Amino acid sequence: MKKIFGFYTKVPLILRIAIGLVIGVLLGLFVKEAAFVSVFGDVFVGALKAIAPILVFVLVVASLAGAGQGIGRRFRTVIILYMLSTFLAAVVAVIGSYIFKVTIPLGASAEQAAPTGLDEVFKALLSNMVANPLTALTSGNYTGILTWAIILGLALRAASDNTKNVLSDISAGVSKAVAWIIQLAPFGIMGLVYSSVGEYGIEIFTDYGKILLLLVGCMLAVALIVDPLVVAITLKKNPYPLVFKCFKESGLTAFFTRSSAANIPVNMKLCEKLGLDKEYYSVAIPLGATINMDGAAITITVMSLAAAFSQGINVNILVAILLSFVATLGACGASGVAGGSLLLIPMACSLLGVGQDVAMQVVAVGFIIGVVQDSLETAINSSGDIIFCATAEYRERIKNGEDIKL
């Protein structure tokens, strides 16, 4: 069994998911009596549903408690750029989702409750925020989970380094558990695709293709328009030489590794090539791999709004803007494993009145389209790390009278 499992894990996850996808389609089309296959999908979604609340809580507490360690005034600019670009990415996703309202076939949820007005939205929001934290964890109340995680995370910033290390270890442990569950994704996708194809037919992939196109469009808009605009305003120079260089040497590698953390050495080498200060970028790049998450913010926002639209929920524009803040914070705490941002979708869905069962179906759809989505998301995130790292240092040099050529 150990050899079999070792061989299984050596095969790239993206290839295993693709194989599971094909098998699920073929069984759904030609073997209608293989109903037992759908159990794999139910087990996979159930495991995600169980671990997601814990993941959100632990990641946010650990990231806030450890934030600012070793970061002085010199890093203020790069932190602002990281957070600003992530927020703007969420805003672009909101705009794109309203222009191209994409829906996907999802089962109904008894938990769903469409808000009728802003007063009802904020009343429910405030009630969920002050819910018992243990009840919030067991019931999947992500608003309450996020609220208490922020409070505890900020309170623990004054804790000892040993305590922060424990929190970091717990966060790493939960992320490891998530990584193990994601190893089951090929079987889960096979079961989910079998059920979907059996119920809706092969045409369901048209709907999946639409939401994938929306995600790709938003990511490209941020990468080629929004982020360069931020750089241009900051430096008052043509940003595209720097942007394209970062895409070529960082984004391309990240597209295939699908991990911002794994791409850190590549970014470090590029920083050296750009002539940046090693003492500065050795902190700024790992920090960016944690909090500069444009692609993750887009994924969380687009998928959660698609879930709301698919359930017939009319999302007020002010709530959508609030969603951008939630997506920004959630993206900054996204797990470093492939597909980690997908597990934060239920947190955003809860803000829109979408039940946890439906939210988990959307997470499953995310894994199906993740063959492209997760790769591009990582490429945008990782190239953005070095773009804004360089921008922050160049801004300081320009203020000191240096002539900087991008």
Side-chain angles (χ1 to χ4, degrees), residues 32 44-45 50 58 65 87 111 155 168-169 176 181 188 202 257 266 293 301 310 346 356 368 377 380 383:
K32 301 292 185 182
F44 180 60
V45 170
V58 170
F87 174 70
E111 298 175 58
S168 180
D169 289 342
K176 186 69 173 177
I181 293 172
I202 198 71
T257 62
V266 176
M293 292 288 179
T301 304
S310 300
Q356 192 180 11
I368 292 173
E377 175 184 311
I380 299 301
S383 60

Side-chain angles (χ1 to χ4, degrees), residues 361-378:
Q361 292 178 53
V362 178
V363 172
V365 172
F367 276 102
I368 292 173
I369 64 175
V371 174
V372 175
Q373 168 267 326
D374 194 42
S375 296
L376 184 58
E377 175 184 311
T378 308

Side-chain angles (χ1 to χ4, degrees), residues 370-403:
V371 174
V372 175
Q373 168 267 326
D374 194 42
S375 296
L376 184 58
E377 175 184 311
T378 308
I380 299 301
N381 292 342
S382 189
S383 60
D385 293 348
I386 195 160
I387 288 171
F388 293 118
C389 177
T391 299
E393 180 163 334
Y394 289 159
R395 179 177 181 269
E396 184 179 337
R397 290 187 187 180
I398 290 170
K399 278 190 171 184
N400 293 333
E402 281 190 47
D403 182 24

Side-chain angles (χ1 to χ4, degrees), residues 89-90 93 214-215 218-219 222 293-303:
L214 178 57
L215 284 166
C218 289
M219 289 183 191
V222 168
M293 292 288 179
D294 295 9
I298 290 169
T299 297
I300 293 168
T301 304
V302 168
M303 299 296 278

Side-chain angles (χ1 to χ4, degrees), residues 135-309:
T135 304
L137 281 168
T138 55
S139 64
N141 170 12
Y142 286 89
T143 305
I145 291 169
L146 190 60
T147 301
W148 288 111
I150 291 172
I151 292 171
L152 288 174
L154 292 175
L156 288 168
R157 291 189 67 177
S160 67
D161 288 343
N162 288 337
T163 301
K164 292 178 181 179
N165 289 336
V166 170
L167 290 172
S168 180
D169 289 342
I170 293 173
S171 175
V174 174
S175 295
K176 186 69 173 177
V178 171
W180 289 342
I181 293 172
I182 290 176
Q183 292 295 328
L184 301 175
F187 297 99
I189 296 304
M190 179 180 67
L192 292 166
V193 169
Y194 170 82
S195 301
S196 297
V197 172
E199 183 175 354
Y200 299 104
I202 198 71
E203 295 80 13
I204 192 171
F205 290 103
T206 302
D207 298 303
Y208 293 167
K210 288 178 182 177
I211 197 165
L212 179 58
L213 284 174
L214 178 57
L215 284 166
V216 170
C218 289
M219 289 183 191
L220 291 178
V222 168
L224 299 177
I225 300 173
V226 176
D227 285 354
L229 183 61
V230 171
V231 175
I233 293 172
T234 304
L235 300 180
K236 297 179 175 59
K237 290 179 177 290
N238 177 11
Y240 286 101
L242 174 64
V243 169
F244 290 141
K245 185 182 295 182
C246 293
F247 282 156
K248 180 183 176 182
E249 300 194 30
S250 173
L252 190 61
T253 308
F255 184 88
F256 292 103
T257 62
R258 301 174 75 206
S259 171
S260 294
N263 212 49
I264 286 176
V266 176
N267 281 353
M268 292 281 203
K269 188 175 181 180
L270 182 53
C271 283
E272 184 179 356
K273 189 182 294 186
L274 293 172
L276 303 184
D277 180 4
K278 185 175 182 179
E279 184 180 347
Y280 159 69
Y281 71 69
S282 62
V283 176
I285 290 297
L287 180 68
T290 304
I291 68 172
N292 180 46
M293 292 288 179
D294 295 9
I298 290 169
T299 297
I300 293 168
T301 304
V302 168
M303 299 296 278
S304 58
L305 283 172
F309 296 151

Side-chain angles (χ1 to χ4, degrees), residues 58-129:
V58 170
L59 284 177
V60 173
V61 170
S63 61
L64 286 178
Q69 289 179 309
I71 303 299
R73 291 183 180 179
R74 183 177 185 183
F75 298 93
R76 185 188 309 164
T77 302
V78 75
I79 293 173
I80 291 173
L81 290 173
Y82 284 157
M83 298 300 294
L84 175 63
S85 66
T86 302
F87 174 70
L88 291 177
V91 172
V92 168
V94 167
I95 295 171
S97 295
Y98 271 86
I99 295 174
F100 307 100
K101 283 195 175 183
V102 176
T103 59
I104 45 181
L106 298 169
S109 170
E111 298 175 58
Q112 173 193 330
T116 57
L118 261 186
D119 56 338
E120 184 180 338
V121 170
F122 284 107
K123 182 179 179 180
L125 179 65
L126 292 173
S127 298
N128 288 333
M129 286 174 67

